[in-house]
């Protein structure tokens, strides 16, 4: 059996190694148009910032090491220019010599990945405009930064690459601005959770221009002008386009393979395309979202590697199936960690799912053990069934392990209530006897049983201030004096039973505290004494962060100011 693989990075390299492990006799040829195989896309910004010092660390394998171990013919700087399904061959161009050849196959695997989106904007031919997708892109930016010593950069786009690159450039001493058309960074997060990411970026001096549209670029003596719609242009020493990626599927399209969203390659759960003996994996393929079952494009290394393994199994006569992508991801944001899995509340409602969410702010480990840090968790679930839909966590230590537990729970089909039953490891330096994941389960169980009624930020902002409801803040007097919401009466939770006379038992009570715990206790006290009570999800700390972020974005648009 002869297998030809187009693309030698995540999915393609994984498939090649797996095929060899399953079939020692197979002939395996990989064509990679760049000069590198099996490289770490996710590490590229950290080489530019100097955190990864040796460029060799970016490549997990070389063509020589791959051949030595797996006897795979890795041909770099070879571009496949056409696929001929009728005669089971591909046309290939040697980019070193210009020579063209035709290679036959028994099985063909496409792993072309995605290319940086380059919208039709004026001035994209400037030499000081970069993209970041390949090792060559990384070296180009690194050379420019090393030689020119730029003092400023504009990043168009606020996704994973944009944030990671912003941090690394800022640490090199540059003034960094992120311009993003949506009014938030990191779209996998809900806007309220994204506000915590915004605050961390601003804390480290990154200028955010959210809700602004880039219209083009102009070279000038002082740098590159970034032209914005209805705004004064920005000027920087260089610009990086990081506005997302587009499936690189020209080959598949020209060969007549069936296509899906944004011309992605349609595959079944065996990673088979519409043409016999042609498989496809990675960023170029359309998948099913594991949570919603909807068609999706999810460009992440983990799914690409798993798809490569599944395709390899099936090429070798197996019967492996891909269950769908869940979108689990994590990112370092300066001193913080932000992680997500499944779908967020915004996406759930857009998909027509009746969703609810709990927001909590637990410590990373036992409060009495030194060094604990707060994290903010948002767990999204379906109202009627308590089906787990997704989770978002932003904090410091322990964020990554909690998101992985929640990702596993979603994949295993656990309900949100069942989170309370998970037997998770505990020692004071690592967790609490009631782990944050367990706490989310307790809260959702209380909602399910009617012991907890919540209200959220949008509901808070629309609450009547005419005295028809009671607005109650149960924090201490000092906390209340340090900052509070207008019209909220302050009665500390420990004084509540003594001061029922200040409350009207005929009016519903909406309660807030710093994190949501004391207000829940207050609600149980009030409910036990005949009151109808609602607890604010997330607490005052969360409210304050989200509202401050909204005000910064709105005032910047109103006044033309920096955010």
């Amino acid at each position: 059996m002869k297998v030809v693989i187009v693309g030698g990075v995540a999915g393609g390299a994984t498939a090649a190694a797996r095929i060899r492990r399953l079939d020692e006799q197979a002939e395996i040829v990989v064509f990679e148009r760049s000069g590198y195989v099996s490289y770490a896309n996710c590490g590229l910004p950290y080489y530019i910032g100097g955190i990864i010092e040796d460029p060799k660390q970016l490549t997990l394998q070389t063509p020589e090491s791959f051949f030595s171990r797996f006897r795979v013919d890795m041909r770099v700087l070879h571009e496949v220019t056409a696929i001929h399904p009728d005669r089971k061959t591909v046309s290939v161009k040697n980019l070193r010599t210009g020579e063209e050849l035709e290679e036959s196959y028994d099985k063909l695997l496409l792993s072309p990945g995605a290319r940086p989106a380059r919208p039709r904007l004026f001035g994209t031919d400037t030499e000081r405009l970069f993209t970041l997708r390949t090792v060559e892109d990384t070296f180009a930016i690194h050379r420019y930064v090393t030689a020119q010593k730029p003092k400023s950069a504009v990043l168009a786009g606020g996704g994973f690459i944009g944030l990671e690159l912003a941090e690394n450039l800022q640490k090199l001493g540059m003034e960094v601005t992120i311009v993003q058309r949506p009014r938030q960074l990191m779209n996998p997060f809900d806007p309220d959770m994204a506000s915590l990411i915004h605050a961390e970026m601003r804390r480290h001096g990154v200028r955010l221009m959210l809700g602004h549209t880039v219209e083009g670029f102009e070279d000038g003596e002082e740098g590159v002008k970034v032209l914005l719609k209805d705004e004064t242009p920005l000027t920087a020493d260089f610009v990086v386009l990081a506005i997302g990626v587009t499936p690189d599927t020209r080959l598949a399209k020209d060969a007549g393979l069936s296509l899906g969203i944004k011309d992605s390659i349609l595959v079944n759960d065996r990673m088979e395309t519409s043409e016999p003996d042609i498989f496809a994996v990675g960023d170029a393929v359309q998948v099913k979202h594991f949570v919603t079952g909807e068609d999706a494009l999810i460009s992440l290394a983990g799914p690409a590697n798993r798809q490569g393994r599944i395709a390899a199994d099936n090429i070798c006569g197996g019967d492996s199936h891909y269950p769908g992508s869940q979108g689990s991801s994590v990112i370092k944001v300066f001193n913080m960690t932000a992680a997500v899995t499944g779908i967020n509340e915004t996406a759930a409602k857009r998909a027509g799912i009746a969703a609810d969410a709990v927001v909590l702010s637990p410590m990373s480990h036992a409060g009495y053990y030194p060094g604990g840090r707060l994290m903010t968790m948002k767990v999204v679930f379906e109202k009627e069934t308590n089906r787990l839909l997704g989770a978002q966590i932003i904090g410091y230590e322990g964020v990554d392990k909690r998101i992985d537990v929640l990702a596993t729970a979603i994949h295993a089909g656990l309900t949100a209530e069942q989170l309370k039953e998970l037997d998770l490891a505990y020692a004071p330096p690592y967790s609490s006897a009631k782990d944050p994941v367990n706490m989310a389960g307790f809260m959702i169980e209380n909602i399910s049983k009617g012991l907890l009624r919540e209200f959220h930020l949008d509901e808070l902002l629309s609450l009547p201030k005419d005295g028809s409801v009671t607005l109650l803040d149960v924090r201490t007097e000092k906390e209340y004096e340090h900052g509070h919401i207008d019209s909220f009466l302050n009665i500390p939770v420990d004084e509540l039973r003594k001061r029922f006379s200040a409350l009207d038992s005929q009016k519903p009570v909406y309660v807030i505290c710093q994190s949501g715990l004391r207000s829940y206790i207050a609600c149980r006290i009030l409910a036990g004494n005949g009151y109808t009570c609602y607890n604010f999800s997330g607490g005052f700390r969360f409210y304050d962060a989200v509202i401050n972020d909204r005000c910064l974005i709105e005032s910047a648009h109103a006044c033309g100011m920096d955010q």
Side-chain angles (χ1 to χ4, degrees):
M1 177 177 67
K2 181 177 181 181
V3 183
V4 169
I5 299 175
V6 180
V9 192
T14 294
R18 177 68 172 171
I19 292 168
R20 173 59 69 227
R21 291 194 296 271
L22 295 175
D23 186 346
E24 183 65 16
Q25 307 307 317
E27 181 183 355
I28 308 169
V29 181
V30 179
F31 294 110
E32 168 57 45
R33 66 184 166 199
S34 78
Y36 302 88
V37 297
S38 193
Y39 58 81
N41 297 72
C42 302
L44 301 182
Y46 299 100
Y47 174 67
I48 294 169
I51 294 172
I52 297 173
E53 297 180 354
D54 185 352
K56 293 180 180 178
Q57 292 179 310
L58 295 173
T59 51
L60 308 177
Q61 294 276 357
T62 65
E64 294 76 19
S65 68
F66 224 101
F67 184 80
S68 176
R69 177 163 295 179
F70 297 111
R71 290 300 188 267
V72 169
D73 184 2
M74 282 275 190
R75 303 186 199 175
V76 297
L77 295 174
H78 280 69
E79 182 176 11
V80 174
T81 57
I83 303 168
H84 313 290
D86 54 338
R87 57 182 186 267
K88 299 186 78 170
T89 64
V90 295
S91 297
V92 186
K93 183 177 183 179
N94 185 326
L95 299 180
R96 287 193 184 98
T97 66
E99 177 190 2
E100 296 186 4
L101 58 99
E102 195 163 296
E103 191 85 21
S104 64
Y105 65 84
D106 296 311
K107 305 286 184 182
L108 177 65
L109 174 64
L110 304 178
S111 182
R115 61 184 185 275
R118 291 187 73 112
R120 295 180 180 178
L121 300 175
F122 174 79
T124 55
D125 56 346
T126 172
E127 293 182 356
R128 288 178 286 186
L129 178 69
F130 299 87
T131 58
L132 181 56
R133 183 68 178 175
T134 66
V135 174
E136 286 89 347
D137 294 338
T138 307
F139 290 163
I141 297 174
H142 189 271
R143 284 194 300 269
Y144 178 82
V145 168
T146 303
Q148 302 299 324
K149 302 291 190 297
K151 293 183 171 59
S152 60
V154 168
L155 310 182
F160 286 94
I161 290 293
L163 265 65
E164 290 170 343
L165 190 56
E167 177 178 345
N168 280 278
L169 295 180
Q170 190 274 340
K171 287 183 176 179
L172 291 175
M174 294 183 213
E175 294 181 0
V176 180
T177 301
I178 295 179
V179 183
Q180 168 96 337
R181 183 183 295 174
R183 293 196 176 195
Q184 71 166 87
L185 303 174
M186 297 296 292
N187 285 334
F189 291 81
D190 282 314
D192 52 6
M193 293 294 287
S195 66
L196 305 177
I197 298 174
H198 299 169
E200 182 72 359
M201 298 297 285
R202 295 188 187 105
R203 238 186 325 266
H204 287 85
V206 176
R207 178 187 180 193
L208 303 182
M209 295 195 67
L210 305 177
H212 294 270
T213 302
V214 175
E215 293 196 321
F217 308 94
E218 285 182 2
D219 265 322
E221 292 183 4
E222 297 180 358
V224 182
K225 277 189 177 181
V226 182
L227 309 177
L228 303 177
K229 184 177 181 180
D230 301 326
E231 290 288 343
T232 303
L234 302 172
T235 301
D237 292 330
F238 73 105
V239 177
V240 179
L241 275 181
I243 57 177
V245 294
T246 302
D248 192 352
T249 57
R250 180 191 59 80
L251 286 173
K253 188 174 184 179
D254 290 349
L257 274 62
S258 296
L259 304 178
I261 302 170
K262 293 185 178 179
D263 282 347
S264 57
I265 304 171
L266 279 181
V267 293
N268 59 19
D269 64 357
R270 287 170 46 87
M271 310 313 298
E272 296 169 319
T273 70
S274 58
E275 284 288 336
D277 297 321
I278 301 181
F279 297 74
V281 301
D283 295 354
V285 306
Q286 176 178 295
V287 297
K288 295 292 183 185
H289 197 288
F290 183 81
V291 175
T292 65
E294 295 181 343
D295 295 332
L297 296 177
I298 297 180
S299 300
L300 293 169
N305 278 278
R306 290 192 294 278
Q307 291 162 18
R309 179 185 175 91
I310 287 166
D313 287 351
N314 295 321
I315 286 171
C316 294
D319 188 27
S320 293
H321 299 263
Y322 186 64
S325 295
Q326 201 169 301
S328 301
S329 55
V330 63
I331 184 172
K332 179 181 179 293
V333 185
F334 287 98
N335 297 328
M336 298 185 79
T337 299
V340 63
T341 187
I343 59 173
N344 59 29
E345 189 176 13
T346 305
K349 291 178 178 177
R350 189 169 58 239
I353 300 172
D356 200 355
V358 292
V359 179
L360 58 158
S361 300
M363 295 286 283
S364 58
H365 61 242
Y368 60 83
Y369 187 89
R373 305 287 297 274
L374 281 172
M375 64 177 71
T376 302
M377 296 177 59
K378 183 173 185 177
V379 179
V380 184
F381 59 98
E382 192 171 29
K383 288 181 180 179
E384 293 299 321
T385 65
N386 281 340
R387 176 169 67 110
L388 268 175
L389 301 175
Q392 302 152 64
I393 312 178
I394 298 174
Y396 302 90
E397 296 83 7
V399 167
D400 53 343
K401 79 172 181 179
R402 270 65 184 224
I403 206 69
D404 283 343
V405 171
L406 288 160
T408 304
I410 291 171
H411 188 85
L414 299 186
T415 67
E417 283 183 273
Q418 287 177 300
L419 296 176
K420 73 182 191 300
E421 300 168 3
L422 295 179
D423 193 352
L424 304 174
Y426 160 61
Y430 303 105
S431 185
S432 301
K434 298 175 183 177
D435 189 87
V437 174
N438 297 137
M439 291 298 298
F442 294 147
M443 292 173 67
I444 294 166
E445 179 190 40
N446 286 338
I447 292 172
S448 180
K449 291 183 175 179
L451 297 175
L452 172 63
R453 297 177 180 177
E454 288 192 320
F455 68 108
H456 300 277
L457 183 60
D458 291 341
E459 295 168 278
L460 186 154
L461 297 176
S462 62
L463 285 174
K465 304 294 193 301
D466 58 3
S468 58
V469 300
T470 300
L471 308 177
L472 181 62
D473 187 325
V474 296
R475 295 176 298 158
T476 65
E477 291 181 7
K478 285 186 178 180
E479 288 175 306
Y480 183 82
E481 289 171 1
H482 190 261
H484 63 270
I485 305 171
D486 289 345
S487 303
F488 271 74
L489 171 69
N490 180 220
I491 302 178
V493 64
D494 293 335
E495 300 177 18
L496 188 56
R497 291 182 180 89
K498 303 175 187 176
R499 298 175 61 178
F500 282 148
S501 59
L503 306 175
D504 186 341
S505 62
Q506 302 304 308
K507 296 178 182 178
V509 185
Y510 290 82
V511 188
I512 194 169
C513 72
Q514 194 71 358
S515 68
L517 177 58
R518 283 174 289 173
S519 49
Y520 165 64
I521 294 169
C523 273
R524 294 311 304 150
I525 293 171
L526 290 166
N529 286 274
Y531 292 80
T532 299
C533 187
Y534 299 87
N535 182 35
F536 180 68
S537 180
F540 183 81
R541 183 188 297 109
F542 187 65
Y543 161 87
D544 196 42
V546 177
I547 289 299
N548 282 338
D549 182 59
R550 286 188 183 180
C551 289
L552 282 169
I553 294 171
E554 294 302 327
S555 63
H557 276 272
C559 307
M561 298 165 55
D562 297 346
Q563 295 170 30

